[in-house]
Amino acid sequence: MMRKLGIGLSMLLLAGMAYGQKKKEEKEILVPMDEKHWASMTDNVEFITYKSVSAVRSKDKEGFGILLKDLIFTDGTIEFDVELKGSGFPGIDFRISEDTLNSEKFYIRYFGTPDGLKRTTLQYAAVLDRVNMWDVTDDYQAAAKIYEGKWNHVKLVVSGKQMKVYVNDMQRAALHIPALEGISNSGAISLSGNVIYANLVIKPNATENLAPNEGYDPTYNDSRYLRNWLVTEPIDFPFGRDVIKPDSGTLIDTALLDSTAVWKPLRADRRALVNLTRLYGETEEGQRKLAWVKKTISSDTDQKKRVDMGFSDEIWVFINGQPLHVDKNYYGSPGMKEPRGRCTIENTSFVLPLQKGENEVLIGVSNYFFGWGLIARVQDTDGLEFD
């Protein structure tokens, strides 16, 4: 999963946008796979005739990327054919922002013999500040029947904040996204992966009666989720360092948090996700960042409540200044949380010992890999008060 597009893509996109914004094409657009219509984002692009149609593939065993020239996409239908060639994540970015840092992304996972019931076959994720948010959007995955050695037909129907994706079966959507989570309402289109693409057709504003407003958020009615927090600016947090002061056992290292810390309010996104990537952007590759979030929970008595939490990538939980829970969710490591290192409410749980009156819940959250944030839900709200 590449965070960064090819060098020079921003310049290519700016040139295309200047022309594309003047066009108000409403009829169906058939886009040939050739150099006239596509800018190469990598140096291994090969435009060919394949199975009697214009197509594109890589010259080698590596993935490639191409950017559609002179067209800005907002809403409508995008259809294309893709033939699997090598393992990877072939897919499409659309509504790519002018600076190329943000987009909406859909892709297929292909690693060996396809399994029609494997729910991680298809993925939607927003790209925020070059970060593919796949590891904090477990909800937006789905199974589909995909073929080896022949075309797979893909259709995206995009309307405002919603999207439906059809793969091979054009009667039933394989994936429905009730709320696209990117920040761009319109932008360019690109294709990438170690595959063969052909037969791209765009139908501007053909949204098949898909509603443009956000769909239902399954956490919306659930008052157990902790949505309103205070947050600090992130700081550098080198690998191997802990938030606990060396040799203290319990005290927070004041070099990482002290009384001068500046706190600002942060409300969780949809799905009750405290989205630190949306707020703070990319953590540079090879770096590690740390931010602190906190909130006050009032209790009418001394009591204990279980907290379920999803997070990425590490957390240190304190209650009233005392350490309570430490956990890691490193994708690809033996200790990664189910489901396979993604941030979901099932990642971890712990018991929160609450005193009568106000209680401060303080959490250190670190990031080094893709999306960054947490989701928290209390067992129940009996005897509790929080905003």
Side-chain angles (χ1 to χ4, degrees):
M1 300 179 188
M2 296 185 296
R3 291 192 186 187
K4 300 179 181 179
L5 302 177
I7 296 173
L9 174 57
S10 181
M11 294 178 64
L12 289 167
L13 182 53
L14 287 169
M17 281 189 167
Y19 177 68
Q21 287 173 340
K22 298 176 183 178
K23 299 174 68 174
K24 296 187 180 296
E25 185 67 76
E26 298 297 329
K27 65 182 181 181
E28 177 177 304
I29 305 168
L30 175 62
V31 184
M33 293 297 176
D34 56 33
E35 292 180 346
K36 178 181 177 181
H37 294 87
W38 297 90
S40 297
M41 295 152 50
T42 56
D43 59 8
N44 61 340
V45 176
E46 183 178 28
F47 295 103
I48 59 171
T49 297
Y50 182 73
K51 296 182 178 179
S52 303
V53 297
S54 67
V56 62
R57 66 182 180 189
S58 66
K59 296 177 182 178
D60 50 35
K61 296 181 180 180
E62 301 299 322
F64 70 94
I66 54 175
L67 176 76
L68 183 58
K69 299 177 181 178
D70 302 337
L71 189 141
I72 299 304
F73 179 81
T74 302
D75 293 325
T77 299
I78 305 171
E79 296 189 59
F80 58 90
D81 290 327
V82 56
E83 184 171 313
L84 304 174
K85 182 182 171 191
S87 296
F89 309 91
I92 182 170
D93 283 73
F94 60 95
R95 294 180 175 172
I96 301 173
S97 63
E98 203 168 323
D99 58 11
T100 75
L101 300 180
N102 303 280
S103 66
E104 310 285 7
K105 190 178 194 72
F106 166 77
Y107 55 92
I108 298 170
R109 288 189 181 91
Y110 173 61
F111 291 90
T113 304
D115 179 350
L117 294 178
K118 193 174 183 67
R119 69 174 289 266
T120 57
T121 298
L122 309 179
Q123 172 88 62
Y124 157 76
V127 177
L128 303 176
D129 192 33
R130 293 189 294 199
V131 181
N132 179 343
M133 300 292 287
W134 69 274
D135 59 336
V136 295
T137 48
D138 179 75
D139 312 62
Y140 299 153
Q141 301 180 103
K145 185 175 183 179
I146 57 174
Y147 306 115
E148 296 180 295
K150 64 177 185 178
W151 293 124
N152 293 274
H153 190 68
V154 177
K155 180 172 80 169
L156 282 65
V157 181
V158 181
S159 178
K161 297 299 292 184
Q162 296 202 50
M163 176 174 73
K164 287 186 175 181
V165 182
Y166 299 78
V167 178
N168 292 320
D169 182 353
M170 296 297 111
Q171 302 305 307
R172 181 183 183 279
L175 178 64
H176 181 194
I177 307 304
L180 295 166
E181 297 187 359
I183 65 172
S184 303
N185 295 321
S186 63
I189 292 172
S190 69
L191 297 171
S192 61
N194 184 18
V195 291
I196 304 172
Y197 288 110
N199 302 319
L200 183 93
V201 177
I202 300 171
K203 302 174 183 176
N205 299 320
T207 56
E208 300 185 357
N209 296 316
L210 180 62
N213 54 297
E214 289 189 1
Y216 181 64
D217 177 352
T219 72
Y220 185 87
N221 294 332
D222 196 334
S223 60
R224 296 174 300 161
Y225 283 93
L226 306 180
R227 302 177 191 274
N228 294 303
W229 298 80
L230 296 174
V231 61
T232 64
E233 291 285 330
I235 59 174
D236 291 332
F237 188 51
F239 289 98
R241 190 168 185 180
D242 201 336
V243 303
I244 302 296
K245 187 175 181 179
D247 303 322
S248 76
T250 61
L251 300 177
I252 295 172
D253 188 339
T254 54
L256 301 175
L257 181 68
D258 62 21
S259 60
T260 66
V262 177
W263 299 89
K264 62 181 179 181
L266 171 63
R267 180 167 174 81
D269 283 2
R270 285 180 59 91
R271 302 178 290 114
L273 174 66
V274 180
N275 192 336
L276 296 176
T277 304
R278 187 182 300 280
L279 184 62
Y280 294 129
E282 180 186 35
T283 297
E284 289 293 333
E285 202 165 337
Q287 302 297 309
R288 184 172 175 235
K289 295 285 189 181
L290 174 72
W292 294 89
V293 299
K294 70 177 181 179
K295 78 176 288 96
T296 299
I297 299 177
S298 295
S299 177
D300 63 7
T301 185
D302 290 349
Q303 60 175 320
K304 295 180 179 180
K305 298 287 188 183
R306 190 189 74 246
V307 174
D308 297 310
M309 184 170 289
F311 65 99
S312 183
D313 298 305
E314 299 169 276
I315 52 168
W316 292 260
V317 182
F318 297 81
I319 178 69
N320 297 322
Q322 295 301 307
L324 176 66
H325 184 75
V326 178
D327 217 338
K328 297 178 179 7
N329 192 13
Y330 289 152
Y331 174 78
S333 72
M336 67 181 172
K337 303 299 181 180
E338 288 295 334
R340 289 188 58 79
R342 296 166 177 85
C343 172
T344 75
I345 197 65
E346 294 86 12
N347 287 159
T348 194
S349 64
F350 51 88
V351 174
L352 192 65
L354 297 167
Q355 302 170 0
K356 182 178 180 179
E358 291 189 344
N359 297 265
E360 182 187 77
V361 178
L362 174 69
I363 305 174
V365 189
S366 83
N367 174 250
Y368 80 101
F369 181 81
F370 288 90
W372 187 12
L374 64 87
I375 307 166
R377 184 183 66 198
V378 293
Q379 170 187 346
D380 60 66
T381 61
D382 295 347
L384 302 184
E385 185 176 339
F386 53 84
D387 61 358

